[in-house]
Amino acid sequence: MPTRGFLVPALALLVAAAGWGSTVVVAKSAFDAISPVNLVVSRLVLTGLVLLVAFQRYLRMPSPTAKRGAALGLVFGSGLMLQTVGLEHTPPSLSGFVTASYVVFTALIAAFWFRQRQPVTVWMAVVLTLIGISILAAGHGRPDLGFGFGTVLTLAGAVLFALHIVLLGRWVRPDNVKQLTLAQSLAGAAAALAIAPFSGWSLPQEPTLWWQILYLGIFCGAVTLFLQSWAQSHVPATPSAVIMCTEPVFAAAFAIGFGMESFTVFILVGGSLVVTALLLTAWPRKQGRRLEALLEELRHRAQTGRSR
């Protein structure tokens, strides 16, 4: 891909990753005034309204595009709900790193669902991710937090985000990106409105909360959803995954920068392991096969040595 054609979509993904990273900090700070479920409802409805106004001319779309967009919207909305509810029980930096494990789950979904053989680097990444999450949890004074209620919900959300990325990569094209983005947002808004009566949702009253919802709904919702869809129609899978690996770094930086957490050796070590795992997952297949061959050769030599 030419550098000029790659640079702008890559920057778009980087901006989206920064937006996703800031989400955990902004959402966490809003929980004093609104429940996680109602925050997601407000965010999804606002995202749908913004994109409806921006892309209303694309309401008429082919039926397959509408169905695929609706499926993507429901998957993404469900992942967002699990992540946000889990965030109530999870520190922001830990939530950011756990959520970013969708990069690893993306490779696993490709392996088990689409029967695509994965290099040994993917399985190494799974182990590193689990170790990194445990270290991050221990740094917050609760060794069990790594696999507690909040993190289990966040991991489930990460699986859905991974499924969203896989399906989006298969369905999005430069000529249908606006229609698919609109269909996703409308499906998410419709699902949110369907559960609103059961969650006691009402319009926010506090001005500060309005600013938080506007930021989450417009920038972290409408803008990043479009940027991701558009960029994935131009950027190959491997560099996309590498750029997405910056999300937990942004999450930790925002959490520390806004005084919600302190920078500790646990964040440094655990976060480094998770980012390493994400980069291993994004490693080109050719390099992964070389590493796999090298490890196989080392195992063979070890077995030969023992037999002697």
Side-chain angles (χ1 to χ4, degrees), residues 79 98 149 154 204 225 291:
V98 173
F149 177 69
T154 308
L225 185 62
L291 178 59

Side-chain angles (χ1 to χ4, degrees), residues 61-76 164 168 171 179-188:
M61 65 184 75
S63 178
T65 301
K67 292 178 180 178
R68 289 172 176 175
L72 287 168
L74 292 176
V75 170
F76 181 82
H164 177 263
L168 180 62
W171 291 339
Q179 294 174 327
L180 205 59
T181 301
L182 177 59
Q184 288 182 74
S185 67
L186 293 180

Side-chain angles (χ1 to χ4, degrees), residues 97 100-101 103-104 107 120-133 135-136 241-242 244-249 267-284 291:
F97 283 107
S101 65
V103 178
V104 178
V120 68
T121 50
V122 171
W123 310 112
M124 293 170 60
V126 172
V127 175
L128 285 177
T129 298
L130 295 176
I131 295 173
I133 290 173
I135 293 174
L136 286 164
V242 172
M244 291 176 184
C245 291
T246 62
E247 179 186 348
V249 178
I267 290 180
L268 177 62
V269 176
S272 296
L273 287 175
V274 174
V275 171
T276 300
L278 305 184
L279 291 173
L280 277 174
T281 307
W283 201 341
L291 178 59

